[in-house]
Structure formats: C-alpha cells, structure tokens
Amino acid sequence: MILSDFEWCGQSGSLFGLLPCNFDTPAQETNENGANLEFATVRAPGSDRHRPLSGRYTEALTGTFRVCKNPRITPSPFFDTEDIRFFNRWLNRRDGYHKFKIWLKGESGYPDYYFRAFLNLKKLELGGRVAGLEITVTTDSPYACFEPRTAVMNLTPDAPRYTYTDISDEVGHLYPTFTILCSASGDLSLQNSLSGIKSCIRGCSPGEILTMDSEHKILSSSLRGDAVMKSFNFGWLDIMNTYENRRNTYSANLPCTVTMTYSPIAKVGL
C-alpha cells in the first residue's frame, strides 16, 4: 500500500509539508487485512467435526508508515525541535480515538473511508539529525467506515413506507441516529421490517422533534427533553443486512419526516 497523503482530525499531512515515503524499500511487503476471525467451537462425542458457537474478530487494524518533509515546499529536509514539538502535539494525542484517512497513489476510493484511531510517533535519524517520522496507526475496530450516509424519509398516509439499501460490508445490525419531525399528535410507532425492531413513543405533538441516537441509547425531545424516555418502549431503530437481503423498509403510523444518519462498515485494510 503506497500512500500519497493522510488526514488526521480533518487536516492533511501535506498541509504541513509532510510527504509519505520509504527510507528503505523491502523486496516484498505484506500488510494485514485486519478481519481475522476466531470461532468458539464445540465437538460432539464421537465426532470429528467442530461446530461453531460464536465468532469474533481477534484484533483491530494496525499499520505503520513513514513521512519526510516535502523538499519542494520546505527549506530544510530535517525536522528541528520546533517541528517535533508541533507534530507531536498534532498527531500524538491521548484524548481518545480520532478520524484518520488515507489517500492511495493511483486509487480514488479510499478518501470515502475513514478509521477511528490513535497515533504513535518515532523519530528516524540520519547522521544525528531527524530526517523523518514513523507513524503507527492503531484503530478501534477490524474495519473502516464509510463517510456518513444520510437518508430523508417523508412518511405520510399516502406513502407510509420508505426502503433504504444498506451498503455495509458486515452482515448484521448498525445503530444510526434518527431525527424525527412529527406532523401529527398521537402515539408514534416506527418500524424496520427487515429487523422487526419497532420504536413506540407515546404522546407526540405536531412540530415536536425527536432525536434517537440508537448507538448510544439516547432519546430526546425538543418539547419534553429527556422526559420523553418515560413514553418510550426502548425499541432502538436499526439498519441491517443479511447475506440475502440489504433492503430495510421503514414505516410509521403517523405522518412524520425521519432523517437517518449512519456510517456503513467498509472491510478494507490499513
């Protein structure tokens, strides 16, 4: 994998004069794909066949790349003390995982993906001076995410259903954020027919805006605040796919406008 640039917390390395490079080129390079599975299995007495009970990914994605100063735009190829201080402050952070993106030479697809990661830095010295930095990327999962996707569903008595195709590479459930603008009073019921999940919120009013963060299990209302939880059945709306079906059909019993935002999973290596 040959990088042309990277982005960290919304700012690119090229903005600060950094250029991905190789200080020594190996004859062959092997990169981990990340999606390494491990199964818990059971074997019946007298049988040679192991039957899977559950599966999990054994590790998150990690990777290492090196950068130097771009000689076309920087007066010196070496990193001085002020440079090291600046890049350590920008890249080496202890406040959690942050958005990390990479651009590949000759490929345009990766800018649509991002990783949640933290970075560690090492200095690469040449003749006692720092000629480059080695950056180790450690992510929080065995895959990347697409940039957030948004769908707006205008659910009315004439069009009470909306179908959205999940593009996630991982079979299973994801939990988006839903913003629901109510257009009538009553007890609102929203359902995803593919998963069977039904969200019921009693006592809704016209103009009320409900925000359902299904991933973090938070529901709030523009009129009732957090008190809306007392009227909720704790059915957290989702989006999902199976091997055979990616089509999620959402429906509502009352007219409303639902805006769904989520980041599908992209099974790409680092």
Side-chain angles (χ1 to χ4, degrees):
M1 183 179 293
I2 301 176
L3 302 187
S4 61
D5 201 357
F6 72 97
E7 182 182 300
W8 174 247
C9 298
Q11 294 178 303
S12 66
S14 58
L15 178 67
F16 302 113
L18 295 181
L19 182 67
C21 64
N22 284 323
F23 286 85
D24 51 354
T25 304
Q28 182 176 351
E29 185 176 355
T30 301
N31 291 311
E32 294 292 337
N33 189 48
N36 295 318
L37 283 168
E38 180 180 90
F39 282 95
T41 62
V42 64
R43 182 170 59 87
S47 173
D48 295 327
R49 183 168 295 177
H50 291 256
R51 304 179 69 88
L53 296 177
S54 62
R56 67 182 182 91
Y57 294 110
T58 58
E59 56 193 16
L61 286 172
T62 61
T64 300
F65 66 100
R66 295 175 173 185
V67 295
C68 62
K69 284 189 172 184
N70 189 337
R72 295 182 179 180
I73 60 175
T74 54
S76 171
F78 298 104
F79 293 78
D80 60 24
T81 302
E82 294 304 311
D83 293 328
I84 298 300
R85 288 181 57 208
F86 174 83
F87 289 117
N88 273 327
R89 187 176 190 275
W90 177 42
L91 300 172
N92 192 214
R93 301 172 58 167
R94 61 179 183 177
D95 54 347
Y97 292 93
H98 294 276
K99 195 172 188 178
F100 176 78
K101 301 181 69 172
I102 56 178
W103 277 260
L104 302 183
K105 289 184 178 179
E107 186 174 336
S108 60
Y110 260 61
D112 199 34
Y113 313 134
Y114 71 92
F115 304 85
R116 289 182 291 263
F118 65 86
L119 308 181
N120 282 312
L121 278 66
K122 291 182 179 179
K123 296 183 291 184
L124 301 174
E125 297 187 356
L126 179 64
R129 304 183 70 181
V130 180
L133 300 173
E134 183 177 88
I135 301 174
T136 299
V137 184
T138 304
T139 71
D140 70 344
S141 60
Y143 37 67
C145 293
F146 284 90
E147 287 287 356
R149 298 305 203 250
T150 298
V152 179
M153 316 175 201
N154 293 307
L155 303 175
T156 67
D158 296 329
R161 294 177 176 81
Y162 182 96
T163 299
Y164 184 86
T165 300
D166 180 22
I167 66 170
S168 178
D169 295 339
E170 178 76 351
V171 170
H173 301 256
L174 288 176
Y175 294 93
T177 295
F178 297 88
T179 302
I180 306 156
L181 173 60
C182 302
S183 300
S185 58
D187 297 338
L188 177 64
S189 177
L190 293 166
Q191 183 171 2
N192 178 0
S193 65
L194 183 58
S195 67
I197 295 294
K198 180 182 288 188
S199 297
C200 299
I201 305 168
R202 300 188 306 274
C204 296
S205 302
E208 183 175 11
I209 299 174
L210 303 166
T211 302
M212 180 186 296
D213 181 348
S214 291
E215 180 180 4
H216 300 101
K217 306 297 185 283
I218 299 172
L219 177 68
S220 61
S221 164
S222 61
L223 300 181
R224 293 178 276 175
D226 296 338
V228 70
M229 293 291 291
K230 299 178 181 178
S231 304
F232 181 43
N233 73 333
F234 293 89
W236 300 101
L237 273 183
D238 63 349
I239 188 169
M240 69 167 296
N241 72 77
T242 68
Y243 286 113
E244 296 81 18
N245 191 0
R246 292 175 175 267
R247 293 167 61 85
N248 293 255
T249 299
Y250 297 90
S251 59
N253 67 326
L254 297 176
C256 59
T257 299
V258 180
T259 302
M260 176 182 69
T261 303
Y262 83 118
S263 293
I265 290 171
K267 282 190 172 181
V268 294
L270 182 61

